[in-house]
């Protein structure tokens, strides 16, 4: 009883430790309150702005090559760039490359908190609002010369409540919709272009991003979507040329982030961090003679000049004539300074930008004001910045005094100070709560201690096997202190699985071999379905007639297979190329939503019927410990997991079954079963394309059977689709445990759970210590922070929910 209590408390402490540590590790960053105002400078008032209206057209996941390369569908934009009516850039989006933090960067110019990764998925979240922060939207609203209007991604409505006079939001997570989600934005455009009442129009298109999530950047749907977006740019530009009230309107076409080769984002690969940025207006011809377009990338996804995404904010401030928001860390894009031919106007813009960023530096490093600097021996970055600003201030004073300072040198000096301040603040560590970090580590350590005490009785049964378990746990923990090992964790679990942040989205067998050998893919897939049907029919025929069992199995496996064919035909038709249309059409059904719901309902009914017949059969024959119910549940669970899996991964379930058959033929002890369960759960996760990068999260099956965004339903389906292999092996492990129980090992479940808890708590402890010790590491936000988020998912989702709660239920079911 005491050991069971220790196991219970050890698992109870896990979520408490996770939440406590997360509060300290992902705090909200402080910001300067209030709206910025123009300072009185010796150089004079701010210069006149060339524009008075802005249309911000955000195309979600608009990677740079989608606009600038020779394979792009933005032909009209190419013409604008070539003639000088558009100025192109590649804007660097820092990690995490997901919508909410990127929108924050685009509107405030600041570096968002990594906590926004979590808040980004909470549809009802309102804690991340920017209503009380200084943004260029707040500045445009304060001008009072027009309304603010927004259509598209409802993330803007969460971030800016009560800001827009007119809006129509759409959910960014309903990735099955490529068309209506964009039509819902465009249908308002003609009316708004005729209206003179607004000064800010924001349109956030989601269709291109959804195509990426569902089928990747090489999807046949990608080029038509680019052409559709190009047509919208053409419609807006022609209206600017035609309508008098739009004559001084600036159109900004940009992506909030890019995508990797798998169509996902969230990490820090070049494809994810390189969205396009284009400033468009007939007035651009005054300062630009045009650039060749389409063009080739200078480096991977780097086209034209490279800027930071936050640089959009001070640039818009100058172009539209409002003070730069107080928390901005962006630097004015120098190519656009040509709008102000007079020296004092350019200096005014650059000096205001530099002073604004330095205000943040002084708040962050207050000790700098009181220090007497020896600029001949400046060592730290912050001291070098102070010395550079000191020299630049002397140039400014010299220019105002006698005009002897060279203007180009002064321009360069101001830009250098702003850029250096931007780098200093970008590399500044987060405001960690060290007490909460320590409390989280201590609670986890207590959980490890309790699990260790609970496992003492297991050690005596097989010391050699337990030594292997300890070695795996310790090696895994040590690995957490090296960024490369975290990125390449798949190498630890299996040398044949693909994963890791550096390989997230890179070609593997599912993305290369099967795409060119689709016949082999479908033969393997059909074989998997036939094998599933055979096993399930055999299981049901134990309690029902063979004819009835076959009928039930065919009624669920055939619709499940046709659903996958229809899904593939809709989302990835290239996997069906070469098949006669007559054969394909025989499988196609009209509605994916209806098909998915039908498959889920039929699977549930088959499970209920099968369990009832198993219990009736057992009661009639008074059999014990035959595990029939657990086997039945496992076979039906397999069908559900296959439905939630990409078609290119389905053959893996056939391999899993062969591996399970081998394990069932072996005489394994309790610790060996747990070790193999851990290994197979992790290997299968990486084999399905998982990694420690947010970019590898697969949303393609997150909306099966769902007509709209529901955070609970989508969250569950997302977890199931990403951890499908791990869930399968958790259920398979239960079958191995039941066989040992039948052989007289009545403590087998407890021993298994206590060892799983020991590994989970110990691995979490190592991750927490690594994140704390390396909190100033260069890759803290690109490697270690995502790893902690994945550790949360493994602990709360796979361990507590699947292995402990569901595993215990399935074990009881099989008794």
């Amino acid at each position: 009883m005491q050991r069971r209590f220790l196991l219970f408390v050890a698992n109870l402490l896990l979520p408490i430790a996770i939440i406590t540590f997360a509060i300290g590790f992902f705090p909200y960053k402080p910001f300067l309150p209030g709206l910025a105002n123009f300072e009185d400078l010796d150089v004079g008032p701010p210069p006149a702005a060339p524009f008075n209206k802005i249309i911000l057209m955000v195309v979600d996941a608009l990677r740079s090559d989608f606009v600038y390369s020779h394979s792009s569908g933005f032909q009209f934009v190419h013409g604008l760039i070539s003639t000088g009516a558009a100025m192109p850039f590649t804007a660097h989006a820092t990690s995490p490359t997901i919508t909410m933090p990127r929108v924050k960067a685009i509107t405030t110019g600041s570096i968002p908190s990594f906590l926004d990764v979590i808040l980004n998925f909470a549809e009802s979240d309102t804690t991340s609002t920017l209503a009380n922060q200084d943004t260029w939207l707040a500045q445009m609203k304060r001008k009072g010369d027009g309304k603010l209007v927004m259509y598209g991604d409802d993330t803007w409505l969460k971030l800016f409540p009560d800001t827009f006079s007119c809006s129509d939001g759409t959910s960014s997570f309903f990735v099955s919709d490529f068309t209506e989600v964009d039509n819902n934005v465009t249908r308002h455009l003609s009316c708004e272009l005729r209206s003179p009442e607004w000064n800010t129009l924001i349109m956030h298109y989601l269709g291109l991003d959804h195509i990426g999530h569902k089928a990747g950047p090489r999807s046949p749907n990608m080029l038509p979507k680019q052409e559709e977006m190009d047509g919208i740019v053409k419609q807006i530009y022609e209206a600017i040329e035609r309508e008098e009230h739009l004559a001084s309107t600036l159109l900004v076409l940009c992506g909030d982030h890019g995508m990797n080769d798998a169509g996902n984002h969230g990490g820090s690969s070049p494809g994810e961090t390189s969205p396009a940025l284009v400033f468009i207006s007939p007035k651009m011809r005054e300062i630009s003679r045009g650039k060749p377009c389409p063009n080739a990338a200078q480096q991977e996804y780097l086209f034209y000049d490279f800027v930071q995404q936050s640089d959009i904010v001070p640039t818009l401030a100058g172009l539209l004539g409002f003070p730069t928001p107080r928390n901005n860390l962006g630097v004015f894009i120098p190519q656009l300074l040509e709008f102000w031919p007079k020296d004092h106007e350019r200096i005014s813009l650059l000096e205001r930008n530099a002073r604004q960023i330095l205000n943040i530096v002084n708040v962050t490093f207050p000790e700098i004001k009181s220090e007497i600097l020896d600029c001949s021996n400046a060592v730290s970055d912050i001291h070098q910045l102070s010395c550079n600003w000191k020299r630049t201030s002397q140039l400014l004073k010299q220019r105002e005094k006698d005009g002897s300072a060279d203007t180009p040198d002064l321009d360069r000096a101001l830009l250098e100070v702003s850029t250096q301040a931007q780098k200093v603040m970008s590399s500044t560590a987060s405001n960690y709560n060290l007490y909460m970090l320590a409390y989280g580590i201590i609670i986890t350590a207590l959980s490890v201690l309790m699990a260790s005490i609970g496992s003492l009785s297991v050690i005596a049964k097989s010391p050699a096997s337990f030594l292997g378990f300890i070695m795996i746990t310790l090696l895994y923990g040590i690995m957490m202190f090296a960024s490369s090992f975290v990125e390449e964790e798949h190498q630890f679990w299996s040398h044949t699985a693909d994963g890791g942040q550096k390989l997230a989205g890179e070609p593997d067998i599912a993305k290369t071999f099967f795409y060119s050998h689709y016949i082999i893919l479908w033969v393997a897939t059909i074989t998997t379905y036939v094998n599933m049907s055979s096993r399930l029919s055999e299981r049901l025929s134990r309690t029902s007639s063979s004819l009835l069992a076959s009928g039930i199995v065919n009624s669920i496996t055939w619709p499940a297979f046709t659903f996958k064919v229809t899904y593939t035909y809709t989302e990835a038709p290239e996997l069906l190329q070469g098949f006669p249309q007559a054969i394909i059409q025989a499988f196609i059904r009209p509605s994916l939503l209806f098909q998915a719901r039908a498959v889920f309902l039929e699977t549930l009914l088959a499970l209920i019927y099968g369990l009832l017949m198993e219990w009736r059969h057992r009661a009639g024959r008074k059999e014990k410990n035959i595990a029939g119910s657990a086997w039945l549940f496992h076979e039906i669970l397999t069908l559900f997991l296959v439905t939630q899996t990409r078609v290119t991964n389905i053959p893996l379930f056939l391999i899993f079954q062969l591996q399970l058959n081998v394990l069932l033929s072996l005489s394994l002890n309790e610790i060996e079963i747990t070790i193999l369960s851990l290994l197979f759960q992790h290997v299968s996760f990486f084999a399905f394309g998982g990694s420690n990068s947010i970019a590898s999260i697969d949303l393609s099956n997150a909306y099966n059977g769902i007509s709209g965004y529901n955070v609970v339903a989508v969250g569950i389906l997302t977890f199931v689709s990403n951890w499908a292999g791990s869930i399968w092996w958790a259920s398979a492990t239960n079958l191995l445990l039941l066989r040992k129980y039948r052989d007289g090992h009545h403590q087998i479940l407890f021993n298994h759970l206590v060892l799983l808890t020991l590994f989970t708590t110990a691995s979490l402890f190592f991750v927490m210590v690594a994140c704390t010790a390396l909190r100033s590491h260069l890759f803290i936000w690109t490697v270690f922070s995502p790893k902690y988020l994945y550790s949360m998912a493994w602990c709360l989702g796979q361990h507590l929910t699947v292995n402990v709660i569901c595993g215990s239920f399935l074990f009881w079911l099989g008794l």
Side-chain angles (χ1 to χ4, degrees):
M1 182 61 70
Q2 182 181 7
R3 294 170 62 228
R4 294 181 183 275
F5 175 75
L6 289 174
L7 177 62
F8 173 78
V9 175
N11 282 287
L12 182 64
L13 290 176
L14 263 180
I16 298 174
I18 287 171
I19 294 173
T20 302
F21 188 87
I23 291 173
F25 194 61
F26 299 122
Y28 275 112
K29 292 187 177 181
F31 61 90
L32 301 178
L35 297 182
N37 296 293
F38 285 120
E39 294 184 61
D40 293 327
L41 301 180
D42 294 336
V43 74
F51 300 98
N52 58 17
K53 293 177 183 286
I54 178 174
I55 299 176
L56 179 66
M57 179 177 171
V58 181
V59 180
D60 213 285
L62 186 65
R63 200 169 67 188
S64 56
D65 62 315
F66 292 164
V67 180
Y68 305 135
S69 71
H70 291 276
S71 59
S72 166
F74 283 85
Q75 299 300 313
F76 182 76
V77 174
H78 291 176
L80 296 179
I81 295 173
S82 299
T83 59
M87 191 168 288
F89 301 91
T90 297
H92 180 254
T94 57
S95 181
T97 48
I98 55 178
T99 296
M100 180 179 286
R102 298 325 324 145
V103 169
K104 284 188 174 183
I106 290 171
T107 55
T108 66
S110 63
I111 302 173
S113 168
F114 207 89
L115 182 61
D116 291 316
V117 173
I118 301 173
L119 299 178
N120 188 77
F121 291 94
E123 183 78 355
S124 59
D125 169 66
T126 57
T127 61
S128 54
T129 176
L130 295 177
N132 298 319
Q133 293 193 38
D134 193 4
T135 65
W136 64 260
L137 275 78
Q139 293 288 348
M140 288 296 289
K141 188 171 185 178
R142 187 171 69 168
K143 288 178 67 175
D145 58 357
K147 300 177 181 178
L148 276 70
V149 181
M150 195 289 300
Y151 301 112
D153 188 349
D154 59 5
T155 300
W156 291 84
L157 301 180
K158 291 192 293 182
L159 291 175
F160 301 98
D162 305 319
T163 297
F164 302 104
S165 300
C166 185
S167 62
D168 190 0
T170 55
S171 174
S172 58
F173 292 102
F174 191 41
V175 298
S176 296
D177 181 10
F178 302 164
T179 307
E180 291 302 319
V181 70
D182 286 345
N183 291 344
N184 195 54
V185 178
T186 306
R187 67 190 177 95
H188 300 282
L189 183 57
S190 296
C191 179
E192 293 298 344
L193 291 176
R194 292 193 298 268
S195 172
E197 297 182 356
W198 52 267
N199 67 7
T200 302
L201 172 60
I202 295 173
M203 302 183 298
H204 193 139
Y205 287 93
L206 293 165
L208 186 140
D209 176 66
H210 291 182
I211 292 171
H213 281 300
K214 296 290 281 187
R218 291 179 291 274
S219 167
N221 295 310
M222 188 61 74
L223 185 60
K225 178 57 68 174
Q226 293 173 13
E227 293 171 346
E228 177 189 343
M229 297 295 101
D230 187 60
I232 294 168
V233 173
K234 180 179 180 181
Q235 181 181 354
I236 296 172
Y237 185 83
E238 290 177 346
I240 292 175
E241 289 187 312
R242 182 180 63 252
E243 302 289 345
E244 183 178 350
H245 66 275
L246 297 177
S248 295
T249 298
L250 173 66
L251 169 60
V252 179
L253 170 67
C254 67
D256 52 347
H257 50 73
M259 66 174 66
N260 59 23
D261 284 343
N264 298 321
H265 53 87
S268 56
S269 69
E272 297 165 77
T273 58
S274 302
L277 171 63
V278 191
F279 292 88
I280 303 172
S281 170
K283 288 188 176 184
M284 287 292 167
R285 292 195 176 99
E286 299 173 9
I287 64 171
S288 174
R289 296 183 178 179
K291 296 184 178 182
C293 193
N295 207 340
Q298 305 164 31
Q299 299 176 20
E300 192 174 13
Y301 301 113
L302 175 56
F303 295 81
Y304 304 108
D305 294 311
F306 181 79
V307 299
Q308 295 295 323
Q309 199 173 55
S310 57
D311 295 346
I312 295 174
V313 174
T315 304
L316 290 183
L319 293 173
L320 292 162
F322 57 77
T324 303
R326 300 192 66 187
N327 297 285
N328 163 70
L329 295 177
V331 179
F332 198 102
I333 298 175
Q335 289 84 345
L336 291 164
L337 284 171
E338 298 301 321
F339 272 116
W340 296 272
K342 296 181 179 179
D343 294 344
H344 73 276
E345 293 179 332
R346 295 196 304 275
I347 292 174
S348 175
L349 288 170
L350 295 177
E351 183 181 355
R352 292 175 190 281
N353 187 194
R355 288 183 179 277
Q356 176 269 316
I357 302 179
L358 288 170
N359 284 339
I360 303 177
V361 175
N362 290 330
V363 171
T364 308
F365 302 98
E367 67 276 7
I368 294 300
K369 290 183 178 180
S370 59
E371 291 185 9
I372 300 176
L373 299 178
D374 179 11
C375 290
S376 63
N377 190 30
V379 179
S380 68
D381 290 340
I382 188 65
H383 285 175
Q384 290 177 3
L385 172 62
S386 298
C387 290
N388 284 345
W389 175 241
K390 184 178 179 180
R391 288 190 289 266
T392 304
S393 297
Q394 291 173 349
L395 288 175
L396 287 168
K397 291 177 181 178
Q398 183 180 347
R399 184 184 186 281
E400 291 303 317
K401 182 179 179 179
D402 54 20
S404 60
D406 185 69
T407 299
D409 288 345
L410 188 53
D411 286 356
R412 285 193 294 270
L414 287 167
L415 282 169
E416 182 181 340
V417 167
S418 297
T419 302
Q420 189 177 7
Q422 181 186 61
K423 291 179 179 178
V424 168
M425 294 305 301
S426 298
S427 61
T428 300
S430 179
N431 186 25
Y432 300 105
N433 187 327
L434 295 180
Y435 288 105
M436 297 302 287
L437 297 181
Y439 293 150
I441 292 173
I442 291 171
I443 296 172
T444 306
L446 289 175
S447 186
V448 174
L449 178 62
M450 292 181 180
S452 300
I453 296 173
S455 64
L456 292 177
S457 61
V458 186
I459 301 176
K461 294 183 178 181
S462 181
S465 297
F466 187 77
L467 179 61
F469 173 83
I470 292 299
M471 288 296 296
I472 290 174
T473 304
L474 290 177
L475 288 175
Y476 180 83
I478 294 171
M479 188 177 68
M480 293 300 102
F481 289 85
S483 62
S484 295
F485 286 136
V486 173
E487 292 176 310
E488 308 294 337
E489 184 182 334
H490 65 288
Q491 297 287 2
F492 177 81
W493 297 108
S494 173
H495 290 289
T496 58
D498 289 313
Q501 179 165 315
K502 288 183 179 177
L503 296 180
E506 293 297 320
D508 58 19
I509 189 173
K511 302 181 183 71
T512 56
F513 180 81
F514 280 151
Y515 274 82
S516 57
H517 300 81
Y518 46 87
I519 299 293
I520 297 177
L521 167 65
W522 286 105
V523 169
T525 300
I526 293 171
T527 303
T528 304
Y529 273 97
V530 171
N531 181 262
M532 283 192 303
S533 300
S534 175
R535 296 198 316 271
L536 183 55
S537 180
E538 180 183 354
R539 182 56 52 184
L540 287 174
S541 63
R542 295 178 67 257
T543 58
S544 304
S545 67
S546 299
L547 183 61
L548 179 59
S550 297
I552 294 175
V553 170
N554 289 332
S555 69
I556 57 176
T557 55
W558 179 253
F561 178 71
T562 57
F563 166 72
K564 271 302 171 188
V565 174
T566 305
Y567 180 93
T568 305
Y569 181 76
T570 304
E571 313 296 350
E574 63 273 15
L575 292 176
L576 290 168
Q577 59 183 336
F579 286 96
Q581 282 296 314
I583 295 178
I584 296 176
Q585 293 300 325
F587 291 93
I588 301 303
R589 298 294 181 269
S591 170
L592 281 172
L593 177 65
F594 174 79
Q595 285 187 76
R597 288 178 175 177
V599 170
F600 291 159
L601 179 60
E602 291 167 353
T603 302
L604 178 61
L605 293 176
L607 176 63
I608 294 173
Y609 170 81
L611 290 178
L612 289 176
M613 296 304 295
E614 280 283 353
W615 292 334
R616 178 183 175 184
H617 179 72
R618 182 188 305 182
R621 299 184 60 179
K622 298 183 179 180
E623 295 182 1
K624 299 294 182 183
N625 303 331
I626 59 174
S629 299
W631 271 103
L632 174 68
F633 187 95
H634 178 75
E635 303 298 352
I636 294 182
L637 174 66
T638 302
L639 180 62
F640 171 68
L641 294 175
V642 166
T643 304
Q644 284 301 113
T645 301
R646 286 184 181 268
V647 67
T648 49
N649 286 332
I650 289 177
L652 288 174
F653 286 97
L654 187 60
I655 298 175
F656 292 167
Q657 184 59 44
L658 296 175
Q659 292 171 325
L660 178 59
N661 292 340
V662 173
L663 295 181
L664 288 169
S665 67
L666 301 177
S667 180
L668 303 170
N669 64 41
E670 299 174 4
I671 300 178
E672 289 171 343
I673 291 176
T674 301
I675 292 175
L676 287 170
S677 179
L678 282 172
L679 290 175
F680 279 118
Q681 287 185 39
H682 284 83
V683 166
S684 61
F685 171 77
F686 291 108
F688 273 60
S691 76
N692 286 324
S693 169
I694 299 170
S696 65
I697 298 176
D698 182 12
L699 297 175
S700 61
N701 288 284
Y703 290 84
N704 290 344
I706 300 176
S707 58
Y709 183 74
N710 180 289
V711 65
V712 176
V714 171
I716 293 173
L717 292 181
T718 299
F719 179 83
V720 169
S721 61
N722 285 272
W723 270 263
S726 305
I727 295 171
W728 191 93
W729 276 108
S731 175
T733 301
N734 180 61
L735 302 177
L736 296 172
L737 296 176
L738 284 168
R739 192 184 66 167
K740 295 293 289 185
Y741 184 90
R742 183 178 56 191
D743 295 338
H745 297 264
H746 292 166
Q747 293 297 315
I748 183 68
L749 177 63
F750 172 84
N751 293 338
H752 173 66
L753 292 180
V754 77
L755 289 176
L756 285 180
T757 301
L758 178 57
F759 174 83
T760 302
T761 54
S763 61
L764 179 64
F765 173 80
F766 282 116
V767 171
M768 286 181 172
V769 173
C771 288
T772 303
L774 303 173
R775 61 187 181 277
S776 298
H777 194 281
L778 178 63
F779 299 137
I780 185 64
W781 298 121
T782 57
V783 176
F784 295 103
S785 296
K787 175 57 187 173
Y788 183 72
L789 293 179
Y790 271 96
S791 295
M792 292 172 61
W794 276 103
C795 291
L796 301 179
Q798 183 65 20
H799 174 68
L800 281 180
T801 304
V802 176
N803 282 321
V804 176
I805 297 175
C806 295
S808 298
F809 171 75
L810 291 178
F811 189 85
W812 169 82
L813 195 67
L815 294 179

